[in-house]
Amino acid sequence: MKKAKVIYDKEFVIGQVDKRIYGSFLEHMGRAIYTGIYEPDHPQADEMGFRKDVLELVRKLNVPIVRYPGGNFVSGYNWEDGIGPKEKRPRRLELAWRAIETNEVGVNEFVEWAKRANTSVMMTVNLGTRGIDAARNLVEYCNFPGGTYYSDLRRQHGYEQPHNIKVWCLGNEMDGDWQIGHKTAHEYGRIARETAKVMKWVDPSIELVAAGSSGPKMPTFPEWEAIVLDHTYDLVDYVSLHVYYGNPEKDTKNFVAKSLEMEEFIKTVISTIDYVKAKKRSKKVVNISFDEWNVWYHAHLEGKDQKAEPWAQIRAIAEEDYVFEDAILVGCMLIALLKHCDRVKMACMAQLVNVIAPITTVKGGITYRQVIYYPFMHAANFGHGVALLPKVNSPKYDSKDFTDVPYIETVATYNEEKDEITVFAVNRDLEEEMQVEFKLDGFEGFEVVEHIVYESDDIYKGNTAENPDNVVPHKGGNSRIEGNVLTSILPKFSWNVIRLKKKEN
Ligand code: AHR
């Protein structure tokens, strides 16, 4: 059996975990909204048309913030189309995803949904076809108490109290040619600055996210970030990062190492932010919102997307049927985010329902959890407090794109309030289990509460409507603690959550 050693020390803290690192995303895309969260004629629909079965799974996931309404969708969106009496709302050609948008769900409905899901809203404004005026009016509509045109309009629409939306994204992926209203870094930097300035005049308490690169492979990365921040540094609080990974070549060893690239991406953006900070002689720290990340390639590769007819309200696109190896990479990506939680303050798994999502619905039927649901649920429920720096001594391997990939990927969180430690660990080895000795320096008198294992006899297995519990985690992990040394057996190719608690005297 292979062996690895990991040292954690109570004093070696990476940073406080901002719970918004476990955010998610819902876009007007495919079946995310219509027949996803909203299906008025479904037997489980509430009085506003929201599916209660979906709400329940979202609440269990413990998502603190959800980005809305896009994505590429937002760059052609008129937010005013989605307010007021539903029967008067326009049907629009939705160019980003080639659909018909009926606007049955808009800002107010989404805020209502978020309340029911126990979450908050991260709102994106359109900097593609629109700009300063539409953005400032939307902030006024949502956050101004009353006595002005847009705030009174909200009150007329039945919302006496302001929505008080705290986090706002300045456009989406403006570096990409696929974006409606794609811009150069200078063009985007200028409009982002002017929009940010005026939005903060309407509500100085809001936090703003500048759109960073759509991925580390973009030819403009990282120059994009440097130029955009040069324009906006004093006005924005976060820069966004997006990345999606796939495994079309069926090279699992390489695929599950891709979280290392994600870490490099984060590190480069931190360096770029800090370069601009130094250039401006600023004391202000801009942080990271990794507001789109996931595995995404199945539906396109399998030809499912191509079958969705254009210009329908409900186009089943990007409906990924995730398989177990995806859950392992998702676990590694969650660990990557936690390992940089000193600067990554928000992150959104993209997306939440049906579209590249952990939750799938059957129209008129059941809802079920994809395999990627579980690692996310574990991290969002147990990964709180501070993250501890892992000092890992693990056997390594090389793959097509990476050298020295550690078989063990791990991070731990310590929740001082509850006196609980949670160790998250992935064994990337496809063939062998691994014995790992975790030395927990500075932690005395802890006991193992549970060792949750997520493993599968077939890495291509997933959950389906017919077999929704095909691959589920179990609590039969093998972990024991003596003094402050935790010894765990991590089964081959597995995600592990080892929870420890201070013993009662
Ligand atoms: O999340 C799906 C899409 O991926 C988003 O609309 C876009 O921002 C990204 O390219």
Side-chain angles (χ1 to χ4, degrees):
M1 190 193 321
K2 288 201 187 85
K3 291 189 177 171
K5 284 192 177 179
V6 178
I7 302 173
Y8 286 115
D9 190 309
K10 201 175 186 177
E11 302 298 322
F12 295 169
V13 167
I14 301 168
Q16 187 72 34
V17 180
D18 187 322
K19 67 174 183 185
R20 297 175 303 175
I21 209 169
Y22 305 118
S24 191
F25 176 31
L26 274 166
E27 177 169 6
H28 284 247
M29 171 181 176
R31 296 196 308 118
I33 305 291
Y34 305 113
T35 74
I37 63 166
Y38 177 81
E39 193 177 336
D41 50 6
H42 190 277
Q44 293 255 24
D46 66 13
E47 80 292 353
M48 282 196 77
F50 297 125
R51 282 184 62 157
K52 288 187 274 185
D53 52 350
V54 176
L55 279 167
E56 198 189 325
L57 287 189
V58 176
R59 283 193 294 263
K60 283 191 180 144
L61 210 48
N62 205 14
V63 175
I65 194 162
V66 180
R67 188 166 172 251
Y68 174 86
N72 298 343
F73 168 81
V74 82
S75 298
Y77 181 51
N78 298 332
W79 67 266
E80 302 88 339
D81 290 348
I83 55 172
K86 283 198 182 184
E87 62 286 358
K88 293 204 175 136
R89 296 185 191 176
R91 286 168 71 84
R92 298 264 189 208
L93 266 193
E94 198 290 285
L95 298 179
W97 305 109
R98 305 180 78 210
I100 299 292
E101 174 56 56
T102 62
N103 288 300
E104 284 163 74
V105 172
V107 171
N108 294 321
E109 288 79 19
F110 192 70
V111 168
E112 272 296 335
W113 178 85
K115 273 187 211 145
R116 289 159 205 229
N118 250 340
T119 191
S120 62
V121 179
M122 176 192 289
M123 184 70 79
T124 307
V125 300
N126 175 355
L127 293 189
T129 57
R130 307 191 80 188
I132 306 171
D133 203 36
R136 67 160 175 161
N137 293 342
L138 181 56
V139 180
E140 182 183 321
Y141 183 88
C142 291
N143 286 10
F144 205 75
T148 63
Y149 178 77
Y150 281 105
S151 57
D152 286 346
L153 196 58
R154 181 199 69 238
R155 292 164 72 197
Q156 274 171 38
H157 293 156
Y159 295 88
E160 183 61 30
Q161 296 307 319
H163 296 322
N164 285 330
I165 295 172
K166 173 117 180 123
V167 183
W168 296 74
C169 304
L170 297 161
N172 175 72
E173 294 192 349
M174 302 308 300
D175 61 334
D177 191 31
W178 58 85
Q179 203 68 218
I180 302 174
H182 164 226
K183 292 176 174 45
T184 66
H186 284 292
E187 287 167 347
Y188 171 68
R190 285 290 305 137
I191 192 170
R193 174 173 188 85
E194 290 307 308
T195 308
K197 186 174 85 185
V198 175
M199 287 169 79
K200 281 199 169 168
W201 283 351
V202 179
D203 182 353
S205 73
I206 59 176
E207 293 189 327
L208 295 175
V209 185
S213 294
S214 313
K217 301 233 159 58
M218 293 298 288
T220 46
F221 172 73
E223 192 59 11
W224 174 274
E225 279 75 2
I227 295 171
V228 167
L229 284 171
D230 211 21
H231 286 286
T232 59
Y233 199 86
D234 54 328
L235 286 166
V236 302
D237 305 283
Y238 308 90
V239 178
S240 74
L241 281 72
H242 293 178
V243 85
Y244 295 97
Y245 292 121
N247 188 16
E249 54 285 306
K250 285 206 158 201
D251 181 347
T252 301
K253 283 173 89 168
N254 197 53
F255 176 60
V256 295
K258 290 190 180 181
S259 59
L260 302 182
E261 184 196 281
M262 184 186 191
E263 282 199 59
E264 282 306 310
F265 187 20
I266 293 170
K267 284 188 214 160
T268 308
V269 176
I270 292 172
S271 309
T272 311
I273 295 171
D274 292 348
Y275 156 75
V276 180
K277 176 177 182 246
K279 192 175 156 192
K280 292 191 175 285
R281 314 287 189 259
S282 174
K283 287 199 163 47
K284 177 180 172 185
V285 176
V286 168
N287 284 313
I288 285 178
S289 170
F290 210 125
D291 48 41
E292 286 188 35
W293 67 269
N294 205 346
V295 171
W296 183 9
Y297 74 108
H298 295 283
H300 192 74
L301 190 78
E302 289 154 16
K304 279 168 66 183
D305 283 350
Q306 295 81 331
K307 287 191 195 127
E309 286 296 323
W311 313 126
Q313 185 198 359
I314 294 156
R315 294 190 69 218
I317 53 167
E319 298 210 0
E320 298 282 279
D321 293 318
Y322 287 109
V323 297
F324 185 72
E325 66 171 14
D326 302 325
I328 293 296
L329 179 60
V330 162
C332 292
M333 291 172 92
L334 284 160
I335 291 173
L337 293 170
L338 283 168
K339 276 163 80 178
H340 297 279
C341 72
D342 53 331
R343 298 299 291 275
V344 181
K345 294 295 171 190
M346 298 191 289
C348 304
M349 183 198 245
Q351 297 189 11
L352 186 57
V353 183
N354 289 333
V355 170
I356 33 176
I359 298 170
T360 300
T361 68
V362 176
K363 184 175 179 298
I366 67 155
T367 181
Y368 63 95
R369 303 158 166 97
Q370 294 280 340
V371 287
I372 60 167
Y373 182 98
Y374 293 101
F376 189 96
M377 180 188 77
H378 295 146
N381 280 284
F382 304 127
H384 296 284
V386 293
L388 301 173
L389 192 72
K391 189 89 195 80
V392 180
N393 188 345
S394 160
K396 297 182 170 135
Y397 68 90
D398 293 341
S399 70
K400 184 167 77 59
D401 300 321
F402 303 93
T403 45
D404 287 336
V405 181
Y407 279 109
I408 295 301
E409 195 58 76
T410 181
V411 75
T413 54
Y414 172 52
N415 188 335
E416 193 171 6
E417 220 175 285
K418 296 185 172 167
D419 236 334
E420 282 176 6
I421 305 169
T422 305
V423 176
F424 299 100
V426 166
N427 179 5
R428 289 190 173 101
D429 196 332
L430 283 155
E431 271 99 42
E432 269 186 67
E433 62 184 13
M434 174 92 65
Q435 187 192 82
V436 188
E437 200 181 279
F438 297 97
K439 207 156 157 277
L440 305 170
D441 286 341
F443 294 102
E444 306 300 328
F446 278 75
E447 63 188 353
V448 176
V449 177
E450 60 183 359
H451 175 170
I452 305 167
V453 178
Y454 202 23
E455 60 185 331
S456 173
D457 53 5
D458 177 355
I459 63 167
Y460 299 117
K461 244 191 207 171
N463 295 332
T464 61
E466 296 69 40
N467 200 352
D469 295 325
N470 206 18
V471 202
V472 291
H474 64 84
K475 292 189 177 176
N478 181 347
S479 276
R480 67 190 148 78
I481 189 162
E482 273 168 43
N484 61 356
V485 179
L486 168 73
T487 308
S488 303
I489 307 294
L490 310 187
K492 68 177 183 190
F493 209 64
S494 62
W495 159 258
N496 299 264
V497 183
I498 306 149
R499 298 182 53 226
L500 304 120
K501 197 172 171 33
K502 184 99 169 174
K503 271 189 248 168
E504 311 243 326
N505 288 326

